[in-house]
Amino acid sequence: MVKELTFPKFDNYDALLEVIQGDKIDLTFTQLISLHLHVLVAQKLQTFLPLFAPSRLRELEINFDGFNDHLINTTMETLLVQAHPLRRLEIGATSLPKASREYLIQLLGTTPSINFLHIALIPSQGDEIVEAAAHIPNLRALSLDHDGQSGTRNEYSPGFRSLASLKIWSSYAAALAVARAIASPNMSTLHLDLY
């Protein structure tokens, strides 16, 4: 059984489904625990998502390249609903719709098993997610890529109580706001790339 699956930038989901169905290949991924999906946002992805429905993901990496709010929301909901007990989550997007951000914030608030989180979003879309991440009790490593200046907070509420590693690519103000919010006595690694 397949336990880890990676799709690099791949947009011909219909052709893959045709091969799977035509050759009667069982690729429902019932034992899948790690999925790395680099998505060129296209309608074709929606026909591919049911393959992951029975999975119990522990590691999930999703990178959306493009704009299609409905499709991104559907993908987030389909994949995140079965991502338990999620331990590692990586989210990157050109643009993450409000519904997906809200769903992700809800997931972070109800999934204490997450110990690694990577967020690659523009600050105006990632700030609320960082705030929610501050309260994940077992979060040991946080990686932030804040691309752009708009929307960056100057302050986050104290949190990150278990954090041991922070890697951040951001403006000085955003990095300082996150660093000030860290209340963990376990911090051992700090990597800053400031612009």
Side-chain angles (χ1 to χ4, degrees):
M1 283 290 163
V2 175
K3 293 195 183 254
E4 182 173 348
L5 184 61
T6 299
F7 284 103
K9 289 192 177 186
F10 180 74
D11 64 352
N12 200 351
Y13 301 101
D14 287 339
L16 180 60
L17 272 177
E18 190 175 309
V19 169
I20 290 168
Q21 293 167 346
D23 294 337
K24 298 190 184 336
I25 299 171
D26 180 14
L27 283 182
T28 50
F29 305 114
T30 57
Q31 301 296 315
L32 190 66
I33 58 171
S34 181
L35 175 62
H36 307 273
L37 190 61
H38 300 264
V39 182
L40 291 171
V41 176
Q43 282 301 121
K44 296 175 184 179
L45 175 65
Q46 205 154 6
T47 60
F48 193 65
L49 287 175
L51 296 177
F52 305 110
S55 303
R56 301 296 286 174
L57 298 173
R58 290 188 196 132
E59 294 183 7
L60 179 59
E61 176 189 359
I62 311 173
N63 286 296
F64 296 105
D65 189 6
F67 301 89
N68 183 326
D69 287 1
H70 175 70
L71 184 61
I72 291 172
N73 289 337
T74 300
T75 303
M76 291 289 286
E77 185 174 355
T78 300
L79 295 176
L80 292 178
V81 76
Q82 68 232 15
H84 292 283
L86 191 62
R87 305 224 188 306
R88 182 180 182 96
L89 179 61
E90 299 182 46
I91 300 285
T94 308
S95 176
L96 193 62
K98 186 172 184 349
S100 287
R101 290 193 310 269
E102 289 171 355
Y103 192 76
L104 180 56
I105 289 167
Q106 179 184 1
L107 176 85
L108 295 177
T110 59
T111 313
S113 57
I114 295 174
N115 58 34
F116 177 89
L117 180 63
H118 174 83
I119 302 167
L121 298 169
I122 60 173
S124 61
Q125 295 183 353
D127 284 342
E128 293 172 324
I129 297 167
V130 172
E131 183 72 38
H135 305 290
I136 301 171
N138 296 310
L139 187 64
R140 305 263 312 135
L142 177 63
S143 175
L144 298 174
D145 290 348
H146 269 180
D147 186 10
Q149 298 286 339
S150 65
T152 303
R153 286 188 184 192
N154 292 325
E155 187 175 335
Y156 292 98
S157 59
F160 303 108
R161 301 205 184 284
S162 298
L163 201 64
S165 174
L166 174 64
K167 180 179 179 185
I168 189 165
W169 181 76
S170 185
S171 67
Y172 172 78
L176 185 60
V178 172
R180 285 182 178 157
I182 297 171
S184 172
N186 305 318
M187 274 300 292
S188 61
T189 305
L190 181 60
H191 180 101
L192 300 175
D193 279 330
L194 305 175
Y195 56 82

